[in-house]
Amino acid sequence: MAELDRNTIKRLRKLLPMLTSDQPGEVTATMAAILRTLSGAEASMHDLVAALGEPQEPRVIKRIVYRDRVVVEERIVYRDREPAAKDVAGAAMSAGDVLETARALLADAFLRDRERDFVCKMLARAERASCSPSRRSNPPGFGN
């Protein structure tokens, strides 16, 4: 029993689908080409069948998925976040607090251009509000 080399198998892969042709002459020519290819490799049809081997079982791929969520009744329920402190969340800041925080951010924080522009605008707004004699209280947007 001869073993088929890579080039022979490559050629047979091209020839075997041609056996399904509707034209009887093409099927006969294809069969002759397959036999010539096998004889050139000093192999027979039995060697081709042996190279095909036994039918293999379908390959099953198992996936393991890790998720940071809990599924309850086919709905996705995300884990609860810690609630924000109610006295800080959404509380208005005074102009003095805005000035102090903005200056600290500009001095010490590594800000991107958009963030730096925003902090500069807030700083200018807070400075205008703190210098205005008619508005000694908080400016609009800084709380009352």
Side-chain angles (χ1 to χ4, degrees):
M1 196 190 283
E3 192 155 330
L4 300 175
D5 64 344
R6 178 180 281 174
N7 291 334
T8 305
I9 292 173
K10 187 176 179 181
R11 178 151 173 83
L12 289 172
R13 280 189 183 154
K14 292 179 183 178
L15 290 172
L16 286 173
M18 295 174 69
L19 290 172
T20 61
S21 174
D22 294 336
Q23 304 297 323
E26 192 172 317
V27 173
T28 306
T30 302
M31 194 63 217
I34 290 172
L35 291 174
R36 276 195 312 271
T37 303
L38 289 172
S39 66
E42 297 179 6
S44 68
M45 200 56 103
H46 297 287
D47 297 323
L48 175 61
V49 172
L52 294 174
E54 294 292 320
Q56 297 179 354
E57 293 182 23
R59 204 170 66 163
V60 177
I61 300 173
K62 295 181 180 179
R63 291 186 181 178
I64 298 173
V65 180
Y66 298 97
R67 294 191 175 121
D68 190 24
R69 50 188 161 187
V70 181
V71 178
V72 178
E73 296 178 10
E74 297 183 12
R75 291 186 309 165
I76 297 173
V77 179
Y78 291 94
R79 294 188 179 156
D80 295 332
R81 294 183 182 168
E82 294 180 19
K86 292 189 178 188
D87 58 336
V88 176
M93 292 177 69
S94 68
D97 291 342
V98 173
L99 287 170
E100 181 182 332
T101 305
R103 288 181 181 139
L105 285 171
L106 289 173
D108 298 331
F110 295 102
L111 300 174
R112 296 186 192 112
D113 292 338
R114 283 183 78 178
E115 296 166 338
R116 183 171 294 284
D117 290 343
F118 176 75
V119 171
C120 287
K121 288 177 184 176
M122 295 305 289
L123 179 64
R125 187 174 174 183
E127 286 174 343
R128 280 194 311 261
S130 66
C131 294
S132 172
S134 63
R135 293 203 172 178
R136 284 280 176 201
S137 66
N138 293 333
F142 288 111
N144 293 326

mmCIF file of all heavy atoms in Angstrom, residues 24-49:
data_model
loop_
_atom_site.group_PDB
_atom_site.id
_atom_site.type_symbol
_atom_site.label_atom_id
_atom_site.label_comp_id
_atom_site.label_asym_id
_atom_site.label_seq_id
_atom_site.Cartn_x
_atom_site.Cartn_y
_atom_site.Cartn_z
ATOM 1 N N PRO A 24 -21.489 12.939 -19.259
ATOM 2 C CA PRO A 24 -20.840 11.632 -19.088
ATOM 3 C C PRO A 24 -19.398 11.600 -19.580
ATOM 4 O O PRO A 24 -18.533 10.951 -18.979
ATOM 5 C CB PRO A 24 -21.708 10.670 -19.911
ATOM 6 C CG PRO A 24 -22.756 11.463 -20.566
ATOM 7 C CD PRO A 24 -22.668 12.873 -20.108
ATOM 8 N N GLY A 25 -19.087 12.324 -20.638
ATOM 9 C CA GLY A 25 -17.713 12.360 -21.150
ATOM 10 C C GLY A 25 -16.764 13.022 -20.149
ATOM 11 O O GLY A 25 -15.610 12.618 -20.000
ATOM 12 N N GLU A 26 -17.270 14.052 -19.463
ATOM 13 C CA GLU A 26 -16.435 14.753 -18.479
ATOM 14 C C GLU A 26 -16.160 13.858 -17.267
ATOM 15 O O GLU A 26 -15.052 13.845 -16.725
ATOM 16 C CB GLU A 26 -17.135 16.048 -18.040
ATOM 17 C CG GLU A 26 -16.255 16.982 -17.245
ATOM 18 C CD GLU A 26 -16.929 18.325 -16.997
ATOM 19 O OE1 GLU A 26 -17.537 18.867 -17.928
ATOM 20 O OE2 GLU A 26 -16.820 18.808 -15.853
ATOM 21 N N VAL A 27 -17.152 13.076 -16.857
ATOM 22 C CA VAL A 27 -16.971 12.149 -15.735
ATOM 23 C C VAL A 27 -15.953 11.074 -16.111
ATOM 24 O O VAL A 27 -15.063 10.749 -15.313
ATOM 25 C CB VAL A 27 -18.326 11.516 -15.328
ATOM 26 C CG1 VAL A 27 -18.131 10.440 -14.287
ATOM 27 C CG2 VAL A 27 -19.282 12.579 -14.825
ATOM 28 N N THR A 28 -16.040 10.570 -17.340
ATOM 29 C CA THR A 28 -15.089 9.547 -17.792
ATOM 30 C C THR A 28 -13.677 10.113 -17.854
ATOM 31 O O THR A 28 -12.715 9.466 -17.422
ATOM 32 C CB THR A 28 -15.507 9.021 -19.187
ATOM 33 O OG1 THR A 28 -16.857 8.575 -19.130
ATOM 34 C CG2 THR A 28 -14.605 7.896 -19.641
ATOM 35 N N ALA A 29 -13.528 11.333 -18.360
ATOM 36 C CA ALA A 29 -12.211 11.964 -18.451
ATOM 37 C C ALA A 29 -11.645 12.242 -17.059
ATOM 38 O O ALA A 29 -10.442 12.083 -16.822
ATOM 39 C CB ALA A 29 -12.317 13.254 -19.254
ATOM 40 N N THR A 30 -12.525 12.635 -16.138
ATOM 41 C CA THR A 30 -12.080 12.893 -14.774
ATOM 42 C C THR A 30 -11.611 11.611 -14.109
ATOM 43 O O THR A 30 -10.580 11.591 -13.431
ATOM 44 C CB THR A 30 -13.215 13.539 -13.944
ATOM 45 O OG1 THR A 30 -13.621 14.742 -14.582
ATOM 46 C CG2 THR A 30 -12.775 13.849 -12.534
ATOM 47 N N MET A 31 -12.332 10.531 -14.326
ATOM 48 C CA MET A 31 -11.941 9.245 -13.738
ATOM 49 C C MET A 31 -10.604 8.781 -14.308
ATOM 50 O O MET A 31 -9.746 8.268 -13.576
ATOM 51 C CB MET A 31 -13.038 8.212 -13.995
ATOM 52 C CG MET A 31 -12.904 6.983 -13.168
ATOM 53 S SD MET A 31 -13.076 7.396 -11.425
ATOM 54 C CE MET A 31 -11.896 6.278 -10.753
ATOM 55 N N ALA A 32 -10.410 9.009 -15.590
ATOM 56 C CA ALA A 32 -9.127 8.648 -16.207
ATOM 57 C C ALA A 32 -8.000 9.497 -15.628
ATOM 58 O O ALA A 32 -6.892 8.988 -15.370
ATOM 59 C CB ALA A 32 -9.211 8.811 -17.727
ATOM 60 N N ALA A 33 -8.274 10.791 -15.380
ATOM 61 C CA ALA A 33 -7.253 11.669 -14.790
ATOM 62 C C ALA A 33 -6.919 11.250 -13.363
ATOM 63 O O ALA A 33 -5.760 11.289 -12.944
ATOM 64 C CB ALA A 33 -7.733 13.122 -14.827
ATOM 65 N N ILE A 34 -7.939 10.820 -12.605
ATOM 66 C CA ILE A 34 -7.704 10.350 -11.231
ATOM 67 C C ILE A 34 -6.830 9.099 -11.253
ATOM 68 O O ILE A 34 -5.861 8.979 -10.485
ATOM 69 C CB ILE A 34 -9.048 10.093 -10.508
ATOM 70 C CG1 ILE A 34 -9.759 11.413 -10.226
ATOM 71 C CG2 ILE A 34 -8.826 9.315 -9.214
ATOM 72 C CD1 ILE A 34 -11.169 11.258 -9.686
ATOM 73 N N LEU A 35 -7.144 8.157 -12.161
ATOM 74 C CA LEU A 35 -6.351 6.926 -12.254
ATOM 75 C C LEU A 35 -4.917 7.213 -12.704
ATOM 76 O O LEU A 35 -3.961 6.602 -12.205
ATOM 77 C CB LEU A 35 -7.028 5.933 -13.197
ATOM 78 C CG LEU A 35 -8.347 5.349 -12.674
ATOM 79 C CD1 LEU A 35 -9.027 4.494 -13.735
ATOM 80 C CD2 LEU A 35 -8.104 4.538 -11.409
ATOM 81 N N ARG A 36 -4.739 8.161 -13.644
ATOM 82 C CA ARG A 36 -3.382 8.539 -14.079
ATOM 83 C C ARG A 36 -2.604 9.155 -12.915
ATOM 84 O O ARG A 36 -1.430 8.880 -12.715
ATOM 85 C CB ARG A 36 -3.461 9.540 -15.236
ATOM 86 C CG ARG A 36 -3.635 8.929 -16.584
ATOM 87 C CD ARG A 36 -3.346 9.925 -17.710
ATOM 88 N NE ARG A 36 -4.017 11.213 -17.545
ATOM 89 C CZ ARG A 36 -5.237 11.500 -17.998
ATOM 90 N NH1 ARG A 36 -5.938 10.570 -18.637
ATOM 91 N NH2 ARG A 36 -5.750 12.685 -17.832
ATOM 92 N N THR A 37 -3.286 10.024 -12.125
ATOM 93 C CA THR A 37 -2.633 10.656 -10.980
ATOM 94 C C THR A 37 -2.207 9.608 -9.966
ATOM 95 O O THR A 37 -1.085 9.652 -9.436
ATOM 96 C CB THR A 37 -3.581 11.688 -10.319
ATOM 97 O OG1 THR A 37 -3.983 12.644 -11.296
ATOM 98 C CG2 THR A 37 -2.923 12.392 -9.158
ATOM 99 N N LEU A 38 -3.077 8.659 -9.690
ATOM 100 C CA LEU A 38 -2.745 7.608 -8.725
ATOM 101 C C LEU A 38 -1.622 6.714 -9.231
ATOM 102 O O LEU A 38 -0.712 6.351 -8.471
ATOM 103 C CB LEU A 38 -3.990 6.780 -8.406
ATOM 104 C CG LEU A 38 -5.062 7.475 -7.562
ATOM 105 C CD1 LEU A 38 -6.321 6.610 -7.492
ATOM 106 C CD2 LEU A 38 -4.551 7.778 -6.183
ATOM 107 N N SER A 39 -1.659 6.361 -10.519
ATOM 108 C CA SER A 39 -0.590 5.495 -11.039
ATOM 109 C C SER A 39 0.740 6.244 -11.092
ATOM 110 O O SER A 39 1.798 5.638 -10.933
ATOM 111 C CB SER A 39 -0.960 4.944 -12.413
ATOM 112 O OG SER A 39 -1.035 5.987 -13.355
ATOM 113 N N GLY A 40 0.688 7.562 -11.315
ATOM 114 C CA GLY A 40 1.926 8.354 -11.291
ATOM 115 C C GLY A 40 2.553 8.374 -9.908
ATOM 116 O O GLY A 40 3.777 8.496 -9.757
ATOM 117 N N ALA A 41 1.734 8.245 -8.873
ATOM 118 C CA ALA A 41 2.230 8.209 -7.497
ATOM 119 C C ALA A 41 2.443 6.775 -7.036
ATOM 120 O O ALA A 41 2.706 6.538 -5.850
ATOM 121 C CB ALA A 41 1.253 8.914 -6.565
ATOM 122 N N GLU A 42 2.325 5.813 -7.991
ATOM 123 C CA GLU A 42 2.458 4.389 -7.699
ATOM 124 C C GLU A 42 1.475 3.964 -6.601
ATOM 125 O O GLU A 42 1.833 3.283 -5.649
ATOM 126 C CB GLU A 42 3.897 4.039 -7.330
ATOM 127 C CG GLU A 42 4.871 4.287 -8.460
ATOM 128 C CD GLU A 42 6.306 3.957 -8.082
ATOM 129 O OE1 GLU A 42 6.536 3.429 -6.979
ATOM 130 O OE2 GLU A 42 7.177 4.238 -8.905
ATOM 131 N N ALA A 43 0.234 4.431 -6.753
ATOM 132 C CA ALA A 43 -0.831 4.102 -5.800
ATOM 133 C C ALA A 43 -2.034 3.599 -6.566
ATOM 134 O O ALA A 43 -2.091 3.673 -7.803
ATOM 135 C CB ALA A 43 -1.190 5.340 -4.984
ATOM 136 N N SER A 44 -3.011 3.068 -5.839
ATOM 137 C CA SER A 44 -4.228 2.558 -6.466
ATOM 138 C C SER A 44 -5.436 3.216 -5.820
ATOM 139 O O SER A 44 -5.316 4.012 -4.888
ATOM 140 C CB SER A 44 -4.292 1.033 -6.310
ATOM 141 O OG SER A 44 -4.484 0.722 -4.939
ATOM 142 N N MET A 45 -6.600 2.842 -6.299
ATOM 143 C CA MET A 45 -7.845 3.356 -5.738
ATOM 144 C C MET A 45 -7.987 2.924 -4.280
ATOM 145 O O MET A 45 -8.530 3.657 -3.464
ATOM 146 C CB MET A 45 -9.021 2.857 -6.582
ATOM 147 C CG MET A 45 -10.290 3.651 -6.438
ATOM 148 S SD MET A 45 -10.090 5.384 -6.784
ATOM 149 C CE MET A 45 -10.783 5.504 -8.392
ATOM 150 N N HIS A 46 -7.445 1.761 -3.937
ATOM 151 C CA HIS A 46 -7.481 1.285 -2.558
ATOM 152 C C HIS A 46 -6.661 2.203 -1.636
ATOM 153 O O HIS A 46 -7.046 2.451 -0.496
ATOM 154 C CB HIS A 46 -6.952 -0.164 -2.477
ATOM 155 C CG HIS A 46 -7.785 -1.136 -3.242
ATOM 156 N ND1 HIS A 46 -9.029 -1.548 -2.801
ATOM 157 C CD2 HIS A 46 -7.571 -1.756 -4.443
ATOM 158 C CE1 HIS A 46 -9.541 -2.394 -3.687
ATOM 159 N NE2 HIS A 46 -8.669 -2.537 -4.697
ATOM 160 N N ASP A 47 -5.556 2.708 -2.172
ATOM 161 C CA ASP A 47 -4.740 3.642 -1.384
ATOM 162 C C ASP A 47 -5.489 4.960 -1.158
ATOM 163 O O ASP A 47 -5.381 5.576 -0.093
ATOM 164 C CB ASP A 47 -3.408 3.916 -2.084
ATOM 165 C CG ASP A 47 -2.556 2.663 -2.204
ATOM 166 O OD1 ASP A 47 -2.581 1.860 -1.248
ATOM 167 O OD2 ASP A 47 -1.890 2.507 -3.234
ATOM 168 N N LEU A 48 -6.243 5.383 -2.173
ATOM 169 C CA LEU A 48 -7.044 6.607 -2.022
ATOM 170 C C LEU A 48 -8.100 6.427 -0.937
ATOM 171 O O LEU A 48 -8.281 7.305 -0.077
ATOM 172 C CB LEU A 48 -7.703 6.977 -3.359
ATOM 173 C CG LEU A 48 -8.662 8.171 -3.331
ATOM 174 C CD1 LEU A 48 -7.957 9.436 -2.905
ATOM 175 C CD2 LEU A 48 -9.315 8.340 -4.683
ATOM 176 N N VAL A 49 -8.771 5.297 -0.932
ATOM 177 C CA VAL A 49 -9.791 5.028 0.082
ATOM 178 C C VAL A 49 -9.147 4.953 1.462
ATOM 179 O O VAL A 49 -9.682 5.470 2.450
ATOM 180 C CB VAL A 49 -10.558 3.722 -0.256
ATOM 181 C CG1 VAL A 49 -11.475 3.326 0.888
ATOM 182 C CG2 VAL A 49 -11.346 3.904 -1.540
#
